[in-house]
Each structure stands twice: as C-alpha cells, then as structure tokens.
Short mmCIF file of all heavy atoms in Angstrom, two decimals:
data_model
loop_
_atom_site.label_atom_id
_atom_site.label_comp_id
_atom_site.label_asym_id
_atom_site.label_seq_id
_atom_site.Cartn_x
_atom_site.Cartn_y
_atom_site.Cartn_z
N GLU V 17 -12.34 -3.84 -9.00
CA GLU V 17 -13.32 -2.87 -9.58
C GLU V 17 -12.61 -1.86 -10.53
O GLU V 17 -13.09 -1.52 -11.50
CB GLU V 17 -14.02 -2.05 -8.39
CG GLU V 17 -14.94 -1.01 -8.85
CD GLU V 17 -16.14 -1.52 -9.67
OE1 GLU V 17 -16.53 -2.68 -9.56
OE2 GLU V 17 -16.74 -0.62 -10.38
N CYS V 18 -11.32 -1.52 -10.14
CA CYS V 18 -10.71 -0.62 -11.04
C CYS V 18 -10.34 -1.24 -12.31
O CYS V 18 -10.45 -0.49 -13.38
CB CYS V 18 -9.31 -0.17 -10.28
SG CYS V 18 -9.48 0.89 -8.80
N GLU V 19 -10.01 -2.53 -12.35
CA GLU V 19 -9.70 -3.24 -13.58
C GLU V 19 -11.01 -3.40 -14.39
O GLU V 19 -10.95 -3.23 -15.55
CB GLU V 19 -9.19 -4.59 -13.17
CG GLU V 19 -7.72 -4.63 -12.78
CD GLU V 19 -7.07 -5.91 -12.95
OE1 GLU V 19 -6.87 -6.25 -14.20
OE2 GLU V 19 -6.64 -6.60 -11.84
N LYS V 20 -12.14 -3.47 -13.65
CA LYS V 20 -13.42 -3.63 -14.41
C LYS V 20 -13.74 -2.41 -15.08
O LYS V 20 -14.18 -2.38 -16.22
CB LYS V 20 -14.56 -3.97 -13.40
CG LYS V 20 -15.87 -4.15 -13.95
CD LYS V 20 -16.88 -4.59 -13.02
CE LYS V 20 -18.30 -4.68 -13.40
NZ LYS V 20 -19.26 -5.01 -12.41
N ARG V 21 -13.42 -1.27 -14.49
CA ARG V 21 -13.68 0.05 -15.09
C ARG V 21 -12.72 0.31 -16.15
O ARG V 21 -13.11 0.51 -17.29
CB ARG V 21 -13.62 1.20 -14.08
CG ARG V 21 -14.49 1.04 -12.89
CD ARG V 21 -14.25 2.28 -11.87
NE ARG V 21 -15.20 2.21 -10.78
CZ ARG V 21 -15.05 3.04 -9.67
NH1 ARG V 21 -14.15 4.05 -9.73
NH2 ARG V 21 -15.97 2.95 -8.67
N ASP V 22 -11.41 0.33 -15.82
CA ASP V 22 -10.36 0.45 -16.75
C ASP V 22 -10.71 1.34 -17.92
O ASP V 22 -10.56 0.97 -19.12
CB ASP V 22 -9.91 -0.94 -17.33
CG ASP V 22 -8.41 -1.02 -17.84
OD1 ASP V 22 -7.68 0.03 -17.63
OD2 ASP V 22 -7.97 -1.97 -18.44
N PRO V 23 -11.05 2.59 -17.69
CA PRO V 23 -11.39 3.66 -18.75
C PRO V 23 -10.33 3.80 -19.81
O PRO V 23 -10.68 4.01 -21.00
CB PRO V 23 -11.72 4.74 -18.09
CG PRO V 23 -10.86 4.77 -16.78
CD PRO V 23 -10.84 3.25 -16.36
N LYS V 24 -9.11 3.65 -19.42
CA LYS V 24 -7.95 3.95 -20.42
C LYS V 24 -7.33 2.60 -20.96
O LYS V 24 -6.45 2.48 -21.65
CB LYS V 24 -6.93 4.78 -19.82
CG LYS V 24 -7.33 6.04 -19.24
CD LYS V 24 -6.15 6.88 -18.42
CE LYS V 24 -6.76 7.89 -17.62
NZ LYS V 24 -5.74 8.53 -16.80
N LYS V 25 -7.97 1.41 -20.54
CA LYS V 25 -7.42 0.02 -21.05
C LYS V 25 -5.97 -0.11 -20.46
O LYS V 25 -5.31 -0.92 -21.17
CB LYS V 25 -7.55 -0.12 -22.46
CG LYS V 25 -9.02 0.11 -22.97
CD LYS V 25 -9.96 -0.84 -22.39
CE LYS V 25 -11.41 -0.67 -22.90
NZ LYS V 25 -12.26 -1.65 -22.30
N LEU V 26 -5.63 0.60 -19.46
CA LEU V 26 -4.23 0.39 -18.97
C LEU V 26 -3.89 -0.90 -18.22
O LEU V 26 -2.87 -1.46 -18.43
CB LEU V 26 -3.91 1.55 -18.02
CG LEU V 26 -4.01 2.99 -18.65
CD1 LEU V 26 -3.71 4.06 -17.65
CD2 LEU V 26 -3.01 3.05 -19.84
N TYR V 27 -5.01 -1.31 -17.39
CA TYR V 27 -4.71 -2.59 -16.76
C TYR V 27 -4.67 -3.75 -17.84
O TYR V 27 -3.80 -4.72 -17.65
CB TYR V 27 -5.84 -2.84 -15.81
CG TYR V 27 -5.87 -2.02 -14.50
CD1 TYR V 27 -6.66 -0.94 -14.35
CD2 TYR V 27 -4.99 -2.48 -13.35
CE1 TYR V 27 -6.63 -0.18 -13.32
CE2 TYR V 27 -4.90 -1.70 -12.41
CZ TYR V 27 -5.79 -0.61 -12.23
OH TYR V 27 -5.72 0.14 -11.09
N GLU V 28 -5.49 -3.61 -18.84
CA GLU V 28 -5.53 -4.59 -19.84
C GLU V 28 -4.06 -4.69 -20.54
O GLU V 28 -3.60 -5.85 -20.78
CB GLU V 28 -6.52 -4.26 -20.95
CG GLU V 28 -6.71 -5.27 -22.06
CD GLU V 28 -7.87 -4.96 -22.87
OE1 GLU V 28 -8.98 -4.58 -22.42
OE2 GLU V 28 -7.61 -4.96 -24.18
N LYS V 29 -3.59 -3.61 -20.78
CA LYS V 29 -2.19 -3.50 -21.38
C LYS V 29 -1.09 -4.06 -20.50
O LYS V 29 -0.22 -4.82 -20.84
CB LYS V 29 -1.93 -2.13 -21.92
CG LYS V 29 -2.70 -1.70 -23.02
CD LYS V 29 -2.44 -0.25 -23.50
CE LYS V 29 -3.27 0.34 -24.51
NZ LYS V 29 -3.02 1.67 -24.95
N ALA V 30 -1.30 -3.72 -19.06
CA ALA V 30 -0.35 -4.14 -18.14
C ALA V 30 -0.33 -5.61 -17.92
O ALA V 30 0.73 -6.29 -17.88
CB ALA V 30 -0.58 -3.42 -16.87
N ARG V 31 -1.53 -6.22 -18.02
CA ARG V 31 -1.67 -7.66 -17.82
C ARG V 31 -0.94 -8.35 -19.07
O ARG V 31 -0.43 -9.43 -18.90
CB ARG V 31 -3.10 -8.04 -17.75
CG ARG V 31 -3.85 -7.54 -16.55
CD ARG V 31 -3.38 -8.32 -15.36
NE ARG V 31 -4.07 -8.06 -14.13
CZ ARG V 31 -3.82 -8.50 -12.88
NH1 ARG V 31 -2.78 -9.28 -12.62
NH2 ARG V 31 -4.55 -8.18 -11.88
N ARG V 32 -0.94 -7.78 -20.19
CA ARG V 32 -0.33 -8.36 -21.31
C ARG V 32 1.12 -8.02 -21.49
O ARG V 32 1.80 -8.38 -22.41
CB ARG V 32 -1.03 -7.78 -22.73
CG ARG V 32 -2.38 -8.24 -22.87
CD ARG V 32 -2.84 -8.02 -24.34
NE ARG V 32 -2.79 -6.64 -24.84
CZ ARG V 32 -3.74 -5.76 -24.84
NH1 ARG V 32 -5.05 -6.11 -24.54
NH2 ARG V 32 -3.55 -4.61 -25.26
N GLY V 33 1.60 -7.25 -20.52
CA GLY V 33 3.14 -7.01 -20.43
C GLY V 33 3.43 -5.83 -21.27
O GLY V 33 4.66 -5.47 -21.47
N GLU V 34 2.44 -5.03 -21.79
CA GLU V 34 2.72 -3.84 -22.80
C GLU V 34 3.09 -2.63 -21.94
O GLU V 34 3.73 -1.84 -22.49
CB GLU V 34 1.48 -3.63 -23.60
CG GLU V 34 1.14 -4.66 -24.52
CD GLU V 34 -0.06 -4.42 -25.31
OE1 GLU V 34 -0.67 -3.41 -25.32
OE2 GLU V 34 -0.63 -5.42 -25.94
N ILE V 35 2.79 -2.61 -20.67
CA ILE V 35 3.13 -1.46 -19.85
C ILE V 35 3.75 -2.09 -18.63
O ILE V 35 3.26 -2.96 -17.98
CB ILE V 35 1.89 -0.76 -19.36
CG1 ILE V 35 1.09 -0.17 -20.54
CG2 ILE V 35 2.32 0.46 -18.45
CD1 ILE V 35 -0.20 0.62 -20.11
N LYS V 36 4.91 -1.56 -18.31
CA LYS V 36 5.82 -2.05 -17.23
C LYS V 36 5.63 -1.08 -16.05
O LYS V 36 5.45 0.17 -16.28
CB LYS V 36 7.27 -2.01 -17.67
CG LYS V 36 7.51 -3.01 -18.78
CD LYS V 36 7.21 -4.48 -18.45
CE LYS V 36 7.47 -5.46 -19.63
NZ LYS V 36 7.07 -6.82 -19.35
N ASN V 37 6.03 -1.47 -14.86
CA ASN V 37 5.91 -0.75 -13.62
C ASN V 37 4.57 -0.05 -13.40
O ASN V 37 4.52 1.05 -13.02
CB ASN V 37 7.00 0.40 -13.76
CG ASN V 37 8.39 -0.10 -13.82
OD1 ASN V 37 8.76 -1.15 -13.08
ND2 ASN V 37 9.23 0.44 -14.57
N PHE V 38 3.52 -0.84 -13.79
CA PHE V 38 2.17 -0.40 -13.62
C PHE V 38 1.63 -0.58 -12.19
O PHE V 38 1.59 -1.79 -11.66
CB PHE V 38 1.19 -0.98 -14.65
CG PHE V 38 -0.08 -0.24 -14.74
CD1 PHE V 38 -0.26 0.93 -15.40
CD2 PHE V 38 -1.14 -0.91 -14.01
CE1 PHE V 38 -1.42 1.54 -15.47
CE2 PHE V 38 -2.45 -0.26 -14.17
CZ PHE V 38 -2.61 0.96 -14.83
N THR V 39 1.30 0.49 -11.53
CA THR V 39 0.79 0.30 -10.07
C THR V 39 -0.42 -0.61 -9.85
O THR V 39 -1.39 -0.59 -10.62
CB THR V 39 0.45 1.71 -9.62
OG1 THR V 39 1.54 2.61 -9.58
CG2 THR V 39 0.00 1.62 -8.05
N GLY V 40 -0.27 -1.58 -9.08
CA GLY V 40 -1.29 -2.48 -8.74
C GLY V 40 -0.99 -3.95 -9.41
O GLY V 40 -1.60 -4.91 -9.12
N ILE V 41 -0.24 -3.87 -10.51
CA ILE V 41 0.08 -5.10 -11.24
C ILE V 41 1.46 -5.50 -11.01
O ILE V 41 1.68 -6.60 -10.37
CB ILE V 41 -0.22 -4.89 -12.78
CG1 ILE V 41 -1.63 -4.35 -13.02
CG2 ILE V 41 0.11 -6.13 -13.48
CD1 ILE V 41 -2.68 -5.36 -12.45
N ASP V 42 2.45 -4.68 -11.44
CA ASP V 42 3.93 -5.10 -11.21
C ASP V 42 4.75 -4.06 -10.44
O ASP V 42 5.84 -4.05 -10.45
CB ASP V 42 4.56 -5.54 -12.58
CG ASP V 42 4.66 -4.44 -13.52
OD1 ASP V 42 3.86 -3.39 -13.36
OD2 ASP V 42 5.32 -4.60 -14.52
N SER V 43 3.96 -3.12 -9.88
CA SER V 43 4.52 -2.06 -9.15
C SER V 43 3.54 -1.84 -7.89
O SER V 43 2.33 -1.86 -8.11
CB SER V 43 4.74 -0.77 -9.86
OG SER V 43 5.40 0.18 -9.08
N PRO V 44 4.09 -1.76 -6.70
CA PRO V 44 3.14 -1.71 -5.45
C PRO V 44 2.33 -0.43 -5.25
O PRO V 44 2.96 0.65 -5.72
CB PRO V 44 4.11 -1.90 -4.31
CG PRO V 44 5.48 -1.44 -4.83
CD PRO V 44 5.48 -1.70 -6.31
N TYR V 45 1.31 -0.46 -4.59
CA TYR V 45 0.57 0.72 -4.17
C TYR V 45 0.48 0.55 -2.70
O TYR V 45 0.10 -0.50 -2.10
CB TYR V 45 -0.82 0.84 -4.69
CG TYR V 45 -1.58 2.02 -4.16
CD1 TYR V 45 -1.31 3.34 -4.68
CD2 TYR V 45 -2.53 1.87 -3.32
CE1 TYR V 45 -1.93 4.36 -3.92
CE2 TYR V 45 -3.17 2.93 -2.67
CZ TYR V 45 -2.86 4.25 -2.99
OH TYR V 45 -3.40 5.21 -2.50
N GLU V 46 1.00 1.67 -1.91
CA GLU V 46 0.87 1.70 -0.52
C GLU V 46 -0.23 2.57 0.04
O GLU V 46 -0.08 3.79 -0.04
CB GLU V 46 2.22 2.10 0.08
CG GLU V 46 3.46 1.29 -0.36
CD GLU V 46 4.73 1.84 -0.01
OE1 GLU V 46 4.73 3.03 0.47
OE2 GLU V 46 5.73 1.22 -0.32
N PRO V 47 -1.35 1.93 0.37
CA PRO V 47 -2.53 2.75 0.87
C PRO V 47 -2.15 3.62 2.18
O PRO V 47 -1.36 3.03 2.90
CB PRO V 47 -3.54 1.69 1.16
CG PRO V 47 -3.18 0.32 0.46
CD PRO V 47 -1.65 0.52 0.48
N PRO V 48 -2.80 4.82 2.20
CA PRO V 48 -2.46 5.54 3.37
C PRO V 48 -3.06 4.73 4.68
O PRO V 48 -4.03 4.14 4.68
CB PRO V 48 -3.50 6.76 3.20
CG PRO V 48 -3.63 6.88 1.62
CD PRO V 48 -3.67 5.38 1.26
N LYS V 49 -2.25 4.79 5.71
CA LYS V 49 -2.57 4.20 6.92
C LYS V 49 -3.48 5.04 7.82
O LYS V 49 -4.39 4.62 8.51
CB LYS V 49 -1.35 3.74 7.76
CG LYS V 49 -0.51 2.60 7.09
CD LYS V 49 0.73 2.34 7.99
CE LYS V 49 1.55 1.32 7.36
NZ LYS V 49 2.65 0.85 8.22
N HIS V 50 -3.37 6.31 7.69
CA HIS V 50 -4.08 7.19 8.41
C HIS V 50 -4.54 8.44 7.64
O HIS V 50 -4.08 9.63 7.81
CB HIS V 50 -3.26 7.72 9.61
CG HIS V 50 -2.80 6.67 10.50
ND1 HIS V 50 -3.67 5.96 11.30
CD2 HIS V 50 -1.64 6.17 10.81
CE1 HIS V 50 -2.99 4.97 12.04
NE2 HIS V 50 -1.76 5.09 11.70
N PRO V 51 -5.24 8.26 6.53
CA PRO V 51 -5.73 9.37 5.70
C PRO V 51 -6.67 10.31 6.41
O PRO V 51 -7.31 9.97 7.31
CB PRO V 51 -6.55 8.69 4.49
CG PRO V 51 -7.04 7.40 5.11
CD PRO V 51 -5.96 6.94 6.10
N ASP V 52 -6.60 11.50 5.97
CA ASP V 52 -7.56 12.55 6.51
C ASP V 52 -8.96 12.27 6.19
O ASP V 52 -9.83 12.64 7.10
CB ASP V 52 -7.14 13.96 6.10
CG ASP V 52 -5.71 14.33 6.62
OD1 ASP V 52 -5.46 14.46 7.71
OD2 ASP V 52 -4.83 14.43 5.80
N LEU V 53 -9.13 11.68 5.14
CA LEU V 53 -10.49 11.34 4.74
C LEU V 53 -10.47 10.12 3.71
O LEU V 53 -9.37 10.12 2.86
CB LEU V 53 -11.14 12.49 3.97
CG LEU V 53 -12.67 12.27 3.52
CD1 LEU V 53 -13.58 12.02 4.60
CD2 LEU V 53 -13.06 13.47 2.70
N THR V 54 -11.33 9.11 3.80
CA THR V 54 -11.48 8.02 2.94
C THR V 54 -12.66 8.04 2.10
O THR V 54 -13.77 8.24 2.88
CB THR V 54 -11.24 6.73 3.60
OG1 THR V 54 -10.06 6.66 4.28
CG2 THR V 54 -11.46 5.50 2.68
N ILE V 55 -12.68 7.93 0.86
CA ILE V 55 -13.94 8.01 0.03
C ILE V 55 -13.89 6.63 -0.69
O ILE V 55 -12.99 6.27 -1.37
CB ILE V 55 -13.85 9.04 -1.04
CG1 ILE V 55 -13.83 10.44 -0.41
CG2 ILE V 55 -14.99 8.92 -2.03
CD1 ILE V 55 -15.13 10.88 0.28
N ARG V 56 -15.02 5.79 -0.29
CA ARG V 56 -15.13 4.53 -1.00
C ARG V 56 -15.90 4.84 -2.39
O ARG V 56 -17.10 4.80 -2.35
CB ARG V 56 -15.96 3.62 -0.13
CG ARG V 56 -15.16 2.98 0.98
CD ARG V 56 -13.88 2.05 0.64
NE ARG V 56 -14.38 0.97 -0.47
CZ ARG V 56 -14.52 -0.18 -0.02
NH1 ARG V 56 -14.31 -0.56 1.19
NH2 ARG V 56 -14.97 -1.20 -0.94
N SER V 57 -15.09 4.97 -3.42
CA SER V 57 -15.69 5.33 -4.72
C SER V 57 -16.53 4.18 -5.35
O SER V 57 -17.17 4.47 -6.30
CB SER V 57 -14.67 5.82 -5.66
OG SER V 57 -13.66 4.89 -5.85
N ASP V 58 -16.30 3.02 -4.75
CA ASP V 58 -17.10 1.90 -5.47
C ASP V 58 -18.48 1.75 -4.69
O ASP V 58 -19.36 1.01 -5.12
CB ASP V 58 -16.31 0.53 -5.25
CG ASP V 58 -16.09 0.23 -3.66
OD1 ASP V 58 -15.77 1.17 -2.90
OD2 ASP V 58 -16.15 -0.97 -3.33
N ARG V 59 -18.69 2.50 -3.66
CA ARG V 59 -19.91 2.45 -3.00
C ARG V 59 -20.71 3.84 -2.92
O ARG V 59 -21.86 3.78 -2.69
CB ARG V 59 -19.68 2.22 -1.48
CG ARG V 59 -18.99 0.92 -1.25
CD ARG V 59 -18.65 0.60 0.42
NE ARG V 59 -18.14 -0.63 0.58
CZ ARG V 59 -17.62 -0.99 1.79
NH1 ARG V 59 -17.85 -0.31 2.86
NH2 ARG V 59 -17.13 -2.27 1.84
N LEU V 60 -20.00 4.83 -3.31
CA LEU V 60 -20.65 6.17 -3.35
C LEU V 60 -20.90 6.74 -4.79
O LEU V 60 -19.93 6.47 -5.57
CB LEU V 60 -19.90 7.17 -2.45
CG LEU V 60 -19.72 6.93 -1.02
CD1 LEU V 60 -18.83 8.10 -0.44
CD2 LEU V 60 -20.99 6.78 -0.28
N SER V 61 -21.98 7.38 -5.01
CA SER V 61 -22.04 8.10 -6.28
C SER V 61 -21.01 9.36 -6.31
O SER V 61 -20.61 9.71 -5.16
CB SER V 61 -23.44 8.58 -6.53
OG SER V 61 -23.89 9.55 -5.62
N VAL V 62 -20.90 9.97 -7.39
CA VAL V 62 -20.03 11.22 -7.48
C VAL V 62 -20.64 12.16 -6.57
O VAL V 62 -19.99 12.87 -5.82
CB VAL V 62 -19.84 11.63 -8.97
CG1 VAL V 62 -19.20 13.00 -8.86
CG2 VAL V 62 -19.06 10.56 -9.79
N GLU V 63 -21.94 12.34 -6.64
CA GLU V 63 -22.56 13.38 -5.78
C GLU V 63 -22.46 13.14 -4.41
O GLU V 63 -22.19 14.05 -3.63
CB GLU V 63 -24.18 13.48 -6.21
CG GLU V 63 -24.46 13.97 -7.66
CD GLU V 63 -24.05 12.96 -8.73
OE1 GLU V 63 -23.99 11.69 -8.37
OE2 GLU V 63 -23.89 13.40 -9.83
#
C-alpha cells in the first residue's frame, strides 16, 4: 500500500536502484513489538 501511494516516487526510484539504503526495499524496517498505540492507516481515515 505504501508503494501504491508513493507520494514522493521514492519507492519507484529505489526499485530502479537510484536510491540506496531505502527502508523496506534494500534496508530493513523493524516494526515495534509493543507499541503504545497502533494506527492502521490503510484502514482508517485521517479523521
């Protein structure tokens, strides 16, 4: 979903190798194991 949105076209550039060490593509993202709050932004409106 983040790639689908890609407002800055960063994922597109990372997939083409134009951006290195991009989180989620060639650099890891470690999700919180015990966050204080989780917001599913793909399911909720901003409001």
Side-chain angles (χ1 to χ4, degrees):
E17 177 62 23
C18 291
E19 287 202 66
K20 182 180 176 181
R21 296 175 180 180
D22 203 9
K24 305 172 189 175
K25 303 300 180 185
L26 298 177
Y27 285 103
E28 186 178 310
K29 293 178 181 178
R31 290 290 188 188
R32 293 199 302 262
E34 296 174 16
I35 301 177
K36 302 297 183 183
N37 299 315
F38 191 79
T39 302
I41 303 301
D42 57 353
S43 185
Y45 177 76
E46 299 171 359
K49 292 182 178 179
H50 304 288
D52 297 291
L53 179 66
T54 296
I55 297 294
R56 282 298 304 261
S57 60
D58 61 324
R59 298 178 181 176
L60 300 176
S61 67
V62 171
E63 292 75 18

